[in-house]
């Protein structure tokens, strides 16, 4: 359903992604792990087109975009493609001048041109799903980090994406707030939401992932089921990385 | 109360209404009209500075460079005394409005540009990630936040403008300051009269500060602190 072919991204002479091939089946949860600087966040940002790849191909469903040196897709194509994905950011990036409800409604009204009533109904449903129906009228600064991130998830879900991307969704959270966010993600996984998640929470990864992808230095070193990658890694680099994580898997 | 004090008190009281009227008739409208026009000009200039088209960026940069780099008084003289020699005759009030608007436009555009640029990149990215276009992201997400950031410095320029309108006296406009000069010429009490003029400016600017405070308070409901 989602296909990434030979995706490359360079900033000047610095090649950050060196040819990524990855496919994600509908309803699958793919967890991307790897040391910092390995390009995993950049890969997510490329799928969301916050970074425009230098070369390669991206396909979601039946729409595909090709990238070549010096040839960027048009703005309309980028927008249309981006609207098939939702992004949850490490630092939430909620809109501070809007309530939780308005944060979730905004794109539905402005981008999808839904009526306010329709957008509100859908948004309340999503806030309920992330356990925050009671906080609909709170502004972001009145919410805890975990609550803000759950609003962030509802906002990303609001546009009805085919693929939900999570960029280290719990890294900015106090430890006691991590669980409530992971719980919401697990529930989405059970419902069959297609997701790609960059995380350092290995226990969570082993529970939620259908596939684990290990990235290092801009390439995918190894991928497979959680059991394969986490417990029986084929690559030396994967073993090194996993042994550096103090957390028992 | 001795005669001298009684005399000064009379002058003060007699002058107060004419001075206040000059302020209400000229200083206040001049300030408000110039600020509104200047605000629009500042906004357009800020957008031009941030636009993707380099020609717009350069025009905006040039405008700000000229206006910030030359004295407002000289600009007013060029408009009012200079332009007639090439056949452009403008009445004093209009000339003052043009001069002040252009000035507010230049300084204000820098305030707005800085405010827009102060909004975290993550806000743009979040807006893009839910499918917004650049202009939707600007209008719905960035500008409302930038407005809050730019309010105190813009209120500052508004109050500066109020006081700068005294320069319009030099292009024959009988606004508050010139009225003070005229009365001084008759009663010859410069210390008293100019202090009275200053007092009336202070009253006006105090009212404006109070308005600013109210506006900031309205923005505060979403302020994280």
């Amino acid at each position: 359903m989602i296909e990434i072919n030979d995706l490359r991204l360079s900033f000047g002479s610095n090649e950050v992604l060196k040819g990524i091939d990855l496919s994600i089946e509908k309803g699958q949860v793919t967890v991307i792990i790897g040391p910092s600087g390995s390009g995993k966040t950049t890969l997510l940002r490329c799928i969301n087109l916050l970074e425009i790849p230098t070369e390669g191909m991206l396909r979601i469903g039946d729409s595909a975009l090709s990238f070549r040196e010096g040839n960027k897709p048009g703005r309309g194509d980028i927008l249309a493609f981006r609207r098939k994905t939702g992004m949850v950011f490490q630092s939430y990036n909620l809109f501070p001048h809007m309530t939780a409800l308005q944060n979730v409604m905004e794109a539905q009204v402005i981008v999808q041109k839904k009526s306010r009533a329709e957008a509100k109904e859908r948004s309340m449903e999503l806030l309920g799903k992330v356990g925050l129906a009671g906080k609909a009228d709170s502004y972001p600064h009145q919410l805890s980090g975990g609550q803000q991130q759950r609003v962030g998830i509802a906002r990303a879900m609001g546009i009805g994406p085919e693929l939900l991307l999570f960029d280290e969704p719990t890294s900015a959270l106090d430890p006691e707030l991590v669980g409530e966010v992971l719980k919401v993600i697990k529930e989405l996984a059970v419902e069959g939401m297609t997701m790609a998640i960059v995380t350092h929470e290995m226990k969570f990864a082993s529970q939620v992932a259908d596939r684990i992808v290990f990235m290092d230095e801009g390439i995918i070193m190894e991928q497979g089921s959680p059991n394969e990658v986490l417990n029986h890694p084929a690559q030396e680099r994967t073993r090194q990385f996993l042994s550096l994580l103090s957390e028992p898997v | 109360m001795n005669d001298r004090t009684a005399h000064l008190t009379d002058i003060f009281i007699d002058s107060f209404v004419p001075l206040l009227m000059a302020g209400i008739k000229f200083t206040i409208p001049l300030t408000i009209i110039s600020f509104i026009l200047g605000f629009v000009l500042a906004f357009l200039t800020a957008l031009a500075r941030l636009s993707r088209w380099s020609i717009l960026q350069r025009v905006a940069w040039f405008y700000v460079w000229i206006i910030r780099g030359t004295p407002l008084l000289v600009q007013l003289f060029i408009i009012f005394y200079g332009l007639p020699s090439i056949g452009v005759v403008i009445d004093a009030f209009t000339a003052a409005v043009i001069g002040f608007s252009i000035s507010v436009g230049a300084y204000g555009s820098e305030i707005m540009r800085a405010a827009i640029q102060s909004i975290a990149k993550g806000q743009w990215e979040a807006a893009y990630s839910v499918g917004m276009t650049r202009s939707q992201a600007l209008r719905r997400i960035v500008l409302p936040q930038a407005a809050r950031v730019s309010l105190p410095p813009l209120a500052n320029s508004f109050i500066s403008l109020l006081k700068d309108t005294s320069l319009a006296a030099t292009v024959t406009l009988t606004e508050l300051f010139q009225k003070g000069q005229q009365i001084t010429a008759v009663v010859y009490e410069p210390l008293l009269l100019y202090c009275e003029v200053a007092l009336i400016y202070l009253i006006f600017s105090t009212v404006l500060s109070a308005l600013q405070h109210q506006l900031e308070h309205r923005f505060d409901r979403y302020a994280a602190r």
Side-chain angles (χ1 to χ4, degrees):
Chain A
M1 177 220 183
I2 287 116
E3 223 184 292
I4 300 169
N5 268 344
D6 195 29
L7 200 75
R8 291 167 190 274
L9 176 70
S10 304
F11 296 118
S13 61
N14 179 21
E15 195 171 31
V16 187
L17 296 179
K18 301 173 180 165
I20 301 288
D21 291 290
L22 182 65
S23 56
I24 301 173
E25 294 304 315
K26 193 171 164 60
Q28 246 192 12
V29 177
T30 302
V31 169
I32 304 167
I33 60 171
S36 64
S38 58
K40 48 196 196 307
T41 289
T42 309
L43 175 60
L44 283 198
R45 291 171 58 84
C46 278
I47 300 173
N48 198 232
L49 299 175
L50 288 175
E51 309 286 354
I52 304 298
T54 323
E55 270 180 72
M57 197 275 291
L58 281 176
R59 191 172 64 75
I60 296 183
D62 44 17
S63 54
L65 284 183
S66 293
F67 307 90
R68 266 179 298 123
E69 193 83 57
N71 180 14
K72 237 173 92 166
R75 246 183 289 162
D77 292 337
I78 290 177
L79 273 176
F81 193 89
R82 189 184 277 145
R83 286 170 186 168
K84 294 178 181 296
T85 66
M87 182 86 155
V88 176
F89 297 89
Q90 181 177 354
S91 47
Y92 338 129
N93 296 354
L94 293 187
F95 306 133
H97 57 303
M98 296 181 181
T99 63
L101 177 62
Q102 288 166 339
N103 264 277
V104 184
M105 280 176 67
E106 183 68 10
Q108 298 177 51
V109 175
I110 298 301
V111 177
Q112 298 183 317
K113 315 286 182 202
K114 283 189 199 169
S115 73
R116 295 198 73 81
E118 193 189 343
K120 187 174 175 184
E121 195 189 325
R122 174 73 182 135
S123 302
M124 284 307 297
E125 193 184 304
L126 288 167
L127 283 175
K129 189 176 278 202
V130 299
L132 290 173
K135 296 286 184 184
D137 295 324
S138 300
Y139 284 93
H141 77 274
Q142 298 168 320
L143 300 173
S144 73
Q147 290 170 334
Q148 289 192 50
Q149 191 58 295
R150 286 188 278 152
V151 175
I153 294 171
R155 178 177 69 181
M157 294 283 293
I159 55 171
E162 295 176 38
L163 170 68
L164 205 48
L165 305 164
F166 292 81
D167 179 19
E168 304 195 23
T170 59
S171 296
L173 292 175
D174 291 336
E176 75 273 20
L177 301 176
V178 169
E180 62 188 70
V181 172
L182 297 184
K183 181 168 162 274
V184 166
I185 301 175
K186 280 181 199 165
E187 284 164 8
L188 291 176
V190 170
E191 285 176 28
M193 186 73 211
T194 315
M195 298 189 275
I197 305 169
V198 169
T199 186
H200 294 294
E201 303 280 341
M202 288 303 147
K203 185 156 167 265
F204 164 72
S206 67
Q207 291 166 354
V208 79
D210 296 301
R211 271 188 106 62
I212 298 229
V213 171
F214 175 70
M215 280 183 72
D216 193 25
E217 294 180 350
I219 57 170
I220 293 177
M221 293 287 287
E222 173 162 10
Q223 55 177 309
S225 71
N227 185 39
E228 284 165 4
V229 177
L230 299 180
N231 298 330
H232 311 286
Q235 301 287 329
E236 182 53 31
R237 271 302 286 135
T238 317
R239 269 194 289 274
Q240 277 175 8
F241 173 73
L242 291 172
S243 69
L244 288 173
L245 297 169
S246 51
E247 236 183 286
V249 174
Chain B
M1 198 185 279
N2 65 34
D3 281 359
R4 173 75 179 142
T5 315
H7 175 65
L8 287 178
T9 310
D10 283 347
I11 291 177
F12 184 90
I13 292 168
D14 290 347
S15 316
F16 194 80
V17 171
L19 286 174
L20 193 66
M21 287 314 291
I24 290 170
K25 248 177 95 180
F26 290 108
T27 301
I28 297 288
L30 195 56
T31 306
I32 291 175
I33 297 170
S34 303
F35 193 77
I36 291 171
L37 294 178
F39 186 91
V40 174
L41 198 55
F43 183 61
L44 295 176
T45 307
L47 288 187
R49 283 294 293 269
L50 297 169
S51 103
R52 278 171 292 208
W53 290 296
S54 73
I55 178 78
L56 278 181
Q57 288 174 20
R58 264 178 268 177
V59 169
W61 177 86
F62 184 77
Y63 159 57
V64 173
W65 176 62
I66 294 287
I67 300 305
R68 280 207 311 190
T70 56
L72 179 53
L73 184 60
V74 176
Q75 294 163 15
L76 284 175
F77 270 49
I78 291 174
I79 295 166
F80 187 70
Y81 297 109
L83 290 185
S85 63
I86 55 165
V88 182
V89 182
I90 304 169
D91 71 84
F93 189 83
T94 312
V97 165
I98 292 172
F100 294 133
S101 305
I102 288 175
S103 169
V104 170
Y107 287 96
S109 74
E110 287 295 281
I111 293 172
M112 293 182 190
R113 183 172 69 103
I116 291 171
Q117 286 177 332
S118 78
I119 303 307
K121 200 169 143 245
Q123 289 292 310
W124 285 98
E125 293 187 343
Y128 289 148
S129 79
V130 290
M132 289 192 199
T133 61
R134 192 177 141 95
S135 81
Q136 286 170 335
L138 183 70
R139 246 180 323 117
R140 303 289 308 179
I141 306 303
V142 174
L143 285 183
Q145 297 181 58
R148 181 175 182 275
V149 176
S150 62
L151 185 63
L154 281 177
N156 233 348
S157 0
F158 192 42
I159 290 169
S160 285
L161 173 65
L162 172 80
K163 296 175 296 173
D164 285 347
T165 57
S166 58
L167 290 174
T170 64
V171 293
T172 75
L173 202 71
T174 314
E175 43 63 71
L176 174 51
F177 176 65
Q178 188 168 85
K179 193 75 194 172
Q181 284 182 307
Q182 287 173 355
I183 298 174
T184 304
V186 177
V187 300
Y188 206 69
E189 289 292 350
L191 178 61
L192 176 73
L193 255 299
Y194 290 130
C195 285
E196 194 171 357
V197 166
L199 176 70
I200 293 175
Y201 277 112
L202 187 62
I203 292 170
F204 288 162
S205 63
T206 305
V207 171
L208 293 183
S209 300
L211 283 177
Q212 174 197 355
H213 193 76
Q214 290 256 310
L215 264 175
E216 279 182 26
H217 190 73
R218 286 189 52 186
F219 274 115
D220 265 353
R221 67 205 154 108
Y222 70 81
R225 46 194 78 224

